Amino acid sequence: MITSFTYDINPSRILFGPGTLSCVGDELNRLGANRALILSTPSQRADAQKLAEQLGPLAAGVFAEAAMHTPVSVTTKAMAAFEASGADCVVALGGGSTIGLGKAIAYRNDTPQIVVATTYAGSEVTPILGQTEDGVKTTVRHPRILPEVVIYDPNLTLELPVAMSVTSGLNAMAHAVEALYAKDRNPISSMMAVEGIRALRDALRVIVTTPADIAARSDALYGSWLCGSVLGAVGMALHHKLCHTLGGSFDLPHAETHAIVLPHSAAYNARAAADTLQPLVDLFGGSIGGGLYDFAQSLGAPLALKDLGLKEAQLDLAADLAVENPYWNPRPVERDAVRSLLQRAWDGARPE
Ligand code: NAD
């Protein structure tokens, strides 16, 4: 039976398919924008410059200093570049770090954003911005942060390294796993979550052996769109709290941390959310935690937090921080159980 629900749908315009990068100019015209500042990380500067050349007079310049966790110092510099270039729009070309910079600019000056997403992190379809200042990461949610236009061109993901494709794909799946048991879930978010995970599961199996398979790359990007959409639509729980703690307080890398923690957080909630997680048991087989662990292992994903540089002596503090101001979770967040979860994730042990 469908029970009562409230669903705030995030309005975005999505262009999907190989070759859609060529639509950026038309989309700028559609938005009534005349000069776009193109954003990227240093490693994707060449792609950003190529796009600027393609746009000709519609490009106001390239700012290629986007960095992980959206440091406010970088945003301040980018705001100055935006003003100096006479830009009236941003085009973010890249993954969550570059998209975060575009969102940070739009949050401050309400400029329209076009995002060309090149990883599976999902930030492009959420009204959420995480930014860092003086070592502290804060998260803000606001309609201004949501990009107006998202372009998913699978051609741009053909060279996303296999290891990054795997961790980024598992990062996307983590959004959808938590969306399935979210307190504020609805029938559409649950449908998108299962379909997003299915698409990524099938696509990642191909990408690890044939990274340039355009069909698999398209399916992975489709899955990441669905998983990002549910991240933007419903609340996240223990898994995201754990990853925010490990990333924010111990500086662990974003996608890898999500990839390692996911089987353990799913196992933690397996019994309390048995009904809503059943579709994933069907997809991965056996117990949800074990099934996700075996899947990650089969892809060659990192499995142990100790391999990311976290010290065993830090696990007590990590558990203390993770249970402070907990997000709503289907199973009560208990300190000892969370400490055990972290131990297994640190060891790289298969969830029980
Ligand atoms: P990223 O954006 O940091 O990218 C990692 C590296 O890969 C960068 O050097 C990037 O230039 C490069 N890269 C990206 N796409 C590539 C491609 N197709 N080919 C080759 N290289 C490529 O990594 P990410 O995991 O996408 O993003 C992580 C960041 O996003 C974190 O700061 C996280 O907090 C944030 N995030 C935010 C949200 C949100 O809704 N606010 C959601 C997910 C992630």
Side-chain angles (χ1 to χ4, degrees):
M1 185 188 97
I2 304 283
T3 51
S4 313
F5 63 87
T6 303
Y7 180 19
D8 287 313
I9 301 175
N10 289 313
S12 305
R13 176 174 160 86
I14 309 291
L15 281 79
F16 192 99
T20 44
L21 178 65
S22 65
C23 301
V24 173
D26 288 348
E27 290 304 309
L28 286 167
N29 289 328
R30 217 183 134 268
L31 288 170
N34 298 310
R35 287 175 65 74
L37 182 65
I38 310 201
L39 309 173
S40 75
T41 60
S43 75
Q44 287 179 292
R45 181 192 293 272
D47 291 333
Q49 268 160 352
K50 211 165 124 195
L51 177 59
E53 280 159 32
Q54 179 192 313
L55 292 174
L58 283 173
V62 169
F63 182 88
E65 295 177 42
M68 186 79 92
H69 304 311
T70 325
V72 171
S73 55
V74 174
T75 303
T76 306
K77 224 172 140 187
M79 293 293 295
F82 185 91
E83 294 298 327
S85 67
D88 59 3
C89 173
V90 290
V91 175
L93 173 83
S97 298
T98 305
I99 297 165
L101 178 60
K103 289 173 155 184
I105 296 172
Y107 179 54
R108 287 163 176 75
N109 67 9
D110 202 17
T111 194
Q113 307 168 64
I114 297 179
V115 171
V116 182
T118 66
T119 70
Y120 307 133
S123 177
E124 63 282 354
V125 280
T126 79
I128 306 162
L129 165 66
Q131 40 187 1
T132 348
E133 193 166 26
D134 301 327
V136 180
K137 187 163 181 174
T138 48
T139 301
V140 44
R141 189 182 185 106
H142 194 281
R144 266 202 314 271
I145 293 169
L146 182 73
E148 280 75 3
V149 179
V150 180
I151 293 181
Y152 289 109
D153 185 340
N155 287 340
L156 302 179
T157 61
L158 292 175
E159 288 175 19
L160 184 66
V162 167
M164 217 188 289
S165 303
V166 166
T167 52
S168 191
L170 292 169
N171 178 194
M173 283 188 177
H175 308 325
V177 170
E178 294 235 292
L180 276 177
Y181 51 60
K183 195 179 179 185
D184 55 351
R185 65 185 179 273
N186 64 67
I188 301 297
S189 65
S190 298
M191 208 163 72
M192 290 198 293
V194 174
E195 172 63 356
I197 291 171
R198 185 214 54 78
L200 274 162
R201 179 200 67 166
D202 294 351
L204 290 175
R205 284 178 173 159
V206 178
I207 288 169
V208 289
T209 55
T210 324
D213 185 313
I214 190 69
R217 288 296 189 177
S218 298
D219 290 353
L221 211 47
Y222 161 68
S224 77
W225 167 44
L226 295 174
C227 292
S229 298
V230 294
L231 168 69
V234 300
M236 295 291 111
L238 176 66
H239 171 83
H240 280 73
K241 174 74 179 185
L242 282 168
C243 293
H244 290 167
T245 303
L246 293 168
S249 303
F250 302 94
D251 208 25
L252 297 197
H254 179 84
E256 290 88 337
T257 305
H258 273 273
I260 293 169
V261 172
L262 179 61
H264 302 280
S265 54
Y268 187 96
N269 286 321
R271 196 169 299 170
D275 288 353
T276 52
L277 287 174
Q278 186 56 43
L280 303 192
V281 174
D282 298 342
L283 282 178
F284 292 98
S287 68
I288 180 62
L292 282 168
Y293 182 93
D294 296 344
F295 175 67
Q297 190 171 42
S298 75
L299 300 175
L303 295 170
L305 290 175
K306 65 181 170 196
D307 295 337
L308 301 185
L310 187 72
K311 301 272 173 282
E312 192 167 17
Q314 293 175 306
L315 293 179
D316 280 328
L317 177 59
D320 291 342
L321 294 173
V323 302
E324 255 176 34
N325 308 316
Y327 303 169
W328 182 88
N329 193 65
R331 172 178 164 191
V333 175
E334 293 150 359
R335 202 262 176 206
D336 288 351
V338 167
R339 176 66 180 78
S340 308
L341 180 168
L342 283 170
Q343 185 70 48
R344 298 190 76 78
W346 189 84
D347 289 333
R350 190 175 188 272
E352 282 160 342

